[in-house]
Amino acid sequence: MSAKEEDVAVGDGSLGGFESVEKILEAYIPPDKLAHVQRILYGWNCGKPVAPLPLARELAAAAAAANFDLQAYRFGAAPEQLRPLRIMRVGLVQHGIQLPTSAPFAEQRQAIHTRVRQLMDAAGAAGVQVLCLQEFWPCPFFFCTRERQWLELAESAEEGPSTRLCQELARKHGMVVISPILERDEAHGGTIWNTAVVVGSNGGVIGKHRKNHITRVGDFNESTYYMEGNTGHPVFETAFGRIAVNICYGRHIPLNCQAFGLNGAEVVFNPCATVEGFTEPMWGLLHVCHQPVGTEVYPAPFTSGDGKPAHRVGGGGGGGGGVDLGPFYGSSYVTAPDASRTPSLARNRDGLLVADLDLNLCQQVKDRWGFQMTSRYEMYAEQLARYVRPDFTPQVIRDPAL
Amino acid sequence: MSAKEEDVAVGDGSLGGFESVEKILEAYIPPDKLAHVQRILYGWNCGKPVAPLPLARELAAAAAAANFDLQAYRFGAAPEQLRPLRIMRVGLVQHGIQLPTSAPFAEQRQAIHTRVRQLMDAAGAAGVQVLCLQEFWPCPFFFCTRERQWLELAESAEEGPSTRLCQELARKHGMVVISPILERDEAHGGTIWNTAVVVGSNGGVIGKHRKNHITRVGDFNESTYYMEGNTGHPVFETAFGRIAVNICYGRHIPLNCQAFGLNGAEVVFNPCATVEGFTEPMWGLLHVCHQPVGTEVYPAPFTSGDGKPAHRVGGGGGGGGGVDLGPFYGSSYVTAPDASRTPSLARNRDGLLVADLDLNLCQQVKDRWGFQMTSRYEMYAEQLARYVRPDFTPQVIRDPAL
């Protein structure tokens, strides 16, 4: 049994031995009923259906040989007369760690680089134009430990080894790469940030965005390591369209999601890292989401702040057999503004999801629904300005009979 | 065949001959797999499961006799040491129109009053403390017609016949009633509003809320009849807890939903009226939602602004057999802040959904997730103030290689 099988526990029993909800639905529900379930739960056949996107046969063979889930879909939009058709082919990568967390850091990072290079090359071969890696992709998701030694893994956003790898592959494939890392900002005393670096299709760094809202829940009080970002809500104008990156917990803050939209983002990527019992029922309520797979086991015990004993290698919180942090549940997917969405990638395997997005759909949905005219932003600007004052009084109408 | 069966077309073929997605899942998926599907899609067994709530046996018999769907559930929360347990039993009513839209208005309204009285009495017998009726419940949902004569059906919020009915039943059952109507505001020149009247458990009118965001999409440009509300985001402090009403399309405006929360709402009701092909895939992404059932047929032709011929009685847009506006798809449900939710009421029958809500869950979820501390409202107050200026410039970082 390899280190990965033993310690990373991909596909362990707590993932329920199934790949995805969609596969269960397809396996058991008769086709006429399934069509209704998919229409209601996934927005299929309402607006434009999410159709399979044919990829070259070699790609499927390569994915099977390299043991990762490969799925591809396309979202349509109505034809237009005056605006050119703009299709952005996006890719999402999900993967587990590749070596035990007790291996030397350089080897751990190198092993992840090797695996992600393989997935990025597959994306390039599939014609992906904008590829997004998962949150904090070059390392284990060690925030639960609250230990300091992991910070050695933080990197320069502009010239760290993970940025250099992304630049190499961006140039090789003419592909924009979004690379979420733990950033070490040497220009400001070595400040740590949770940062997404955006590499342009010619290999240059376009810019970066630092996570706006910091998780402080369950095993993840990430302000142990880094603080709220100071980069606003930037939209990156790339060769293929205007993109933004909403990192992990920021998906739970509606104002954060909206701010990227107000700045003109056409596609918002949401790289995440989150575990099964914690957030899985909220997962389908969100948007372009993706995140790791597998369970990570740490060398030292840590507690979860839930009154239970410390997690330990080979026993601990998650049940017998060395389950510790996780399982991360993969399940990457893409959704469109008309509420249609792709199926999820596997919950328990590395994967690459490819999707063609007709960017004209963004304006079409806004023009159809009129949100840009009906949202009364003036009212909310005023309301929020009042709310943040210490003397804010909520608008409450009390039953006079009480 | 009664007028209802013939013209209202409840349960017609376009509803797919099935009652709900949940019933399909339960019918076909084996129990071990179903548990995972329900965990992920409905938040069951994650946090507190949504458990069936036992009701008196007579109630089920009465619901069967009166041909409405009756379901009841309860949401739990962790026990606390210092705050008292506060359970609010809420009820949602969904129903179709009861007479053809060509019947005299007084008879149409009376027939709906009779049916809704039956459902409200059932709610009272089930111990419901806060009952919400569907959007614009005393009338057909005539906005598609853009005809003026329907405005005769508008009523005074304070003393119209529908308010009086709700006051009578509120007193009878000691139950708060939320009554969404089309309001005629005589004090302001007969202005029309889309208004929810909140009647206290002693029968007095606590106050009212007017819909903040107006639908202008598909068959529903409702600003033909009424304009944006001027009542802010009131929270009504009732004998059983603090409630707010987010009317229909307002569910699509995240700032609107949030504003009720910032004013301290513990439960937000979202009475709706919307039709199958239009919004059903978005329905599960929302919250305490409910709305009519059945298809409404109007005497005069109307167009949908979609390039297709006018809808007509006995033919028209929705397929053969007199289908015109609709079908409304019922599917009322309740969801909690931990992302758990009840199953939906039937898509094609009148119904009453009863749910016990442990109100302490609201603060528990906020304390667990920390949204009240991590949301950085100051940043968004400032951002929105900038956004609403005509000279707003989006924050865009352009790839310098372009």
Side-chain angles (χ1 to χ4, degrees):
Chain A
M1 182 178 272
S2 75
K4 185 175 171 188
E5 283 166 324
E6 188 180 323
D7 290 344
V8 183
V10 168
D12 75 290
S14 66
L15 278 166
F18 69 100
E19 198 165 298
S20 70
V21 167
E22 294 83 351
K23 290 263 196 293
I24 293 178
L25 302 181
E26 284 168 19
Y28 294 104
I29 300 177
D32 60 320
K33 298 285 192 297
L34 183 62
H36 286 293
V37 170
Q38 290 174 330
R39 177 177 66 79
I40 294 174
L41 296 183
Y42 297 94
W44 297 1
N45 303 314
C46 176
K48 297 289 169 188
V50 179
L53 173 69
L55 295 179
R57 202 179 303 262
E58 311 83 90
L59 283 167
N67 189 27
F68 65 86
D69 189 13
L70 173 66
Q71 299 188 39
Y73 303 93
R74 62 185 158 80
F75 292 84
E80 297 194 10
Q81 293 194 41
L82 297 179
R83 290 196 303 174
L85 182 69
R86 288 194 306 138
I87 304 291
M88 181 193 287
R89 182 165 294 185
V90 302
L92 306 181
V93 165
Q94 66 179 39
H95 60 88
I97 58 174
Q98 305 292 313
L99 291 176
T101 60
S102 53
F105 288 164
E107 291 176 23
Q108 286 189 58
R109 179 155 69 196
Q110 187 53 53
I112 292 175
H113 276 198
T114 301
R115 178 59 162 170
V116 170
R117 175 189 289 274
Q118 186 177 42
L119 288 155
M120 290 173 84
D121 275 333
V128 166
Q129 294 168 320
V130 181
L131 183 72
C132 188
L133 303 176
Q134 70 200 21
E135 187 184 20
F136 201 22
W137 67 271
C139 323
F141 203 74
F142 58 74
F143 296 141
C144 55
T145 68
R146 302 189 298 281
E147 299 163 354
R148 292 290 158 178
Q149 76 275 13
W150 303 101
L151 288 179
E152 275 199 65
L153 286 159
E155 304 181 37
S156 157
E158 287 74 23
E159 48 196 31
S162 299
T163 298
R164 285 203 302 272
L165 176 69
C166 292
Q167 291 182 293
E168 177 197 333
L169 286 155
R171 264 192 302 273
K172 178 176 174 186
H173 297 295
M175 173 169 83
V176 173
V177 178
I178 300 166
S179 171
I181 61 169
L182 201 67
E183 178 191 3
R184 173 77 82 181
D185 178 9
E186 293 291 359
H188 292 87
T191 305
I192 298 290
W193 301 102
N194 186 325
T195 299
V197 182
V198 180
V199 177
S201 49
N202 72 341
V205 172
I206 302 178
K208 61 189 174 188
H209 174 56
R210 291 166 173 162
K211 183 171 171 179
N212 271 324
H213 299 273
I214 307 307
T215 323
R216 292 176 172 85
V217 45
D219 281 327
F220 308 103
N221 184 338
E222 300 175 6
S223 70
T224 303
Y225 295 103
Y226 66 91
M227 298 291 284
E228 280 74 7
N230 59 356
T231 51
H233 295 85
V235 168
F236 300 94
E237 189 174 342
T238 75
F240 308 109
R242 296 192 302 278
I243 63 174
V245 194
N246 179 358
I247 304 175
C248 200
Y249 176 89
R251 69 186 180 272
H252 297 289
I253 310 290
L255 281 160
N256 189 48
C257 307
Q258 178 158 299
F260 294 115
L262 295 183
N263 280 325
E266 295 172 303
V267 181
V268 179
F269 293 87
N270 181 216
C272 296
T274 182
V275 295
E276 189 186 65
F278 181 39
T279 55
E280 200 165 3
M282 303 173 186
W283 188 247
L285 305 177
L286 307 163
H287 30 195
V288 183
C289 278
H290 63 130
Q291 66 123 358
V293 295
T295 296
E296 298 179 1
V297 176
Y298 288 90
F302 65 92
T303 58
S304 285
D306 58 0
K308 295 183 185 154
H311 297 251
R312 284 177 190 284
V313 180
V323 176
D324 243 347
L325 181 65
F328 295 91
Y329 55 81
S331 305
S332 304
Y333 69 98
V334 177
T335 185
D338 64 358
S340 60
R341 53 158 289 185
T342 69
S344 300
L345 285 184
R347 300 170 67 254
N348 49 11
R349 295 170 65 207
D350 293 358
L352 169 65
L353 179 64
V354 178
D356 272 5
L357 314 179
D358 183 335
L359 298 183
N360 283 343
L361 186 65
C362 297
Q363 192 65 62
Q364 286 178 17
V365 169
K366 283 196 276 192
D367 281 350
R368 173 166 158 75
W369 281 85
F371 297 130
Q372 69 276 43
M373 270 81 69
T374 61
S375 288
R376 305 180 75 180
Y377 294 114
E378 289 81 0
M379 178 169 65
Y380 296 105
E382 188 275 328
Q383 200 241 15
L384 281 175
R386 274 191 295 111
Y387 181 77
V388 298
R389 291 172 52 97
D391 63 353
F392 168 70
T393 308
Q395 183 187 359
V396 175
I397 302 175
R398 191 158 194 269
D399 185 344
L402 296 184
Chain B
M1 181 178 273
S2 75
K4 185 174 171 187
E5 282 166 325
E6 188 180 324
D7 291 343
V8 183
V10 168
D12 74 290
S14 65
L15 278 167
F18 70 99
E19 196 165 300
S20 70
V21 167
E22 293 82 353
K23 290 264 194 295
I24 294 179
L25 302 181
E26 285 169 17
Y28 294 104
I29 300 177
D32 60 320
K33 299 286 192 298
L34 182 64
H36 286 293
V37 170
Q38 290 173 331
R39 177 177 67 78
I40 294 173
L41 295 184
Y42 297 94
W44 297 1
N45 303 315
C46 175
K48 298 287 168 188
V50 179
L53 174 69
L55 295 179
R57 202 179 303 263
E58 313 79 273
L59 284 167
N67 190 28
F68 65 86
D69 189 14
L70 173 66
Q71 298 187 41
Y73 303 93
R74 62 185 158 79
F75 292 84
E80 298 194 8
Q81 292 195 39
L82 297 180
R83 290 196 303 173
L85 182 68
R86 287 195 308 138
I87 304 292
M88 181 193 288
R89 182 166 293 186
V90 302
L92 306 181
V93 165
Q94 65 179 39
H95 60 89
I97 57 174
Q98 305 292 313
L99 291 176
T101 59
S102 53
F105 288 164
E107 292 176 21
Q108 286 190 58
R109 179 156 68 199
Q110 187 53 53
I112 292 175
H113 277 197
T114 301
R115 178 60 163 169
V116 170
R117 175 190 290 275
Q118 185 177 42
L119 288 154
M120 291 173 84
D121 275 332
V128 165
Q129 295 168 317
V130 182
L131 182 72
C132 188
L133 302 176
Q134 71 200 21
E135 187 183 20
F136 200 23
W137 67 272
C139 322
F141 203 73
F142 58 74
F143 296 142
C144 55
T145 68
R146 303 189 297 280
E147 298 163 354
R148 291 290 156 177
Q149 75 275 12
W150 303 102
L151 287 179
E152 275 199 65
L153 286 159
E155 305 179 39
S156 156
E158 288 72 24
E159 48 195 32
S162 298
T163 298
R164 285 201 303 272
L165 176 68
C166 292
Q167 290 182 292
E168 176 198 334
L169 287 154
R171 264 191 303 272
K172 177 177 175 184
H173 297 295
M175 173 169 84
V176 173
V177 178
I178 301 167
S179 171
I181 60 169
L182 200 66
E183 177 191 3
R184 173 77 80 181
D185 177 10
E186 295 290 359
H188 292 87
T191 305
I192 298 289
W193 301 101
N194 186 324
T195 299
V197 182
V198 180
V199 177
S201 49
N202 73 340
V205 172
I206 302 177
K208 62 189 174 187
H209 175 56
R210 292 166 173 161
K211 184 170 170 180
N212 271 325
H213 299 272
I214 308 306
T215 323
R216 291 176 173 85
V217 45
D219 281 326
F220 308 102
N221 184 339
E222 300 176 7
S223 69
T224 303
Y225 296 103
Y226 65 92
M227 297 292 284
E228 281 75 6
N230 59 357
T231 50
H233 294 86
V235 167
F236 300 95
E237 189 173 341
T238 74
F240 308 109
R242 294 191 303 278
I243 63 174
V245 194
N246 179 358
I247 304 175
C248 200
Y249 176 89
R251 68 186 180 272
H252 298 289
I253 310 290
L255 282 161
N256 190 49
C257 307
Q258 178 157 301
F260 293 114
L262 296 183
N263 280 324
E266 296 171 302
V267 181
V268 179
F269 293 88
N270 181 216
C272 295
T274 181
V275 294
E276 189 187 64
F278 182 40
T279 54
E280 200 165 3
M282 303 174 185
W283 189 246
L285 306 176
L286 306 164
H287 30 196
V288 183
C289 278
H290 64 130
Q291 65 123 355
V293 296
T295 296
E296 298 179 1
V297 176
Y298 288 90
F302 64 92
T303 58
S304 285
D306 58 1
K308 294 183 186 153
H311 298 251
R312 284 178 190 283
V313 181
V323 175
D324 244 345
L325 181 66
F328 295 90
Y329 54 81
S331 305
S332 304
Y333 69 97
V334 177
T335 184
D338 63 359
S340 61
R341 53 159 288 185
T342 69
S344 301
L345 285 185
R347 299 170 68 253
N348 49 10
R349 296 170 65 205
D350 293 358
L352 169 65
L353 179 65
V354 178
D356 272 4
L357 315 179
D358 183 335
L359 297 183
N360 283 343
L361 186 65
C362 298
Q363 191 65 62
Q364 287 178 15
V365 169
K366 283 196 277 192
D367 281 350
R368 172 164 159 76
W369 281 86
F371 296 129
Q372 69 274 47
M373 270 80 70
T374 61
S375 288
R376 305 180 74 181
Y377 294 114
E378 288 81 358
M379 178 168 66
Y380 296 105
E382 188 276 328
Q383 200 240 16
L384 281 175
R386 274 191 296 110
Y387 180 76
V388 298
R389 289 172 53 96
D391 63 351
F392 167 71
T393 308
Q395 183 188 0
V396 175
I397 301 175
R398 191 159 193 268
D399 186 343
L402 296 184

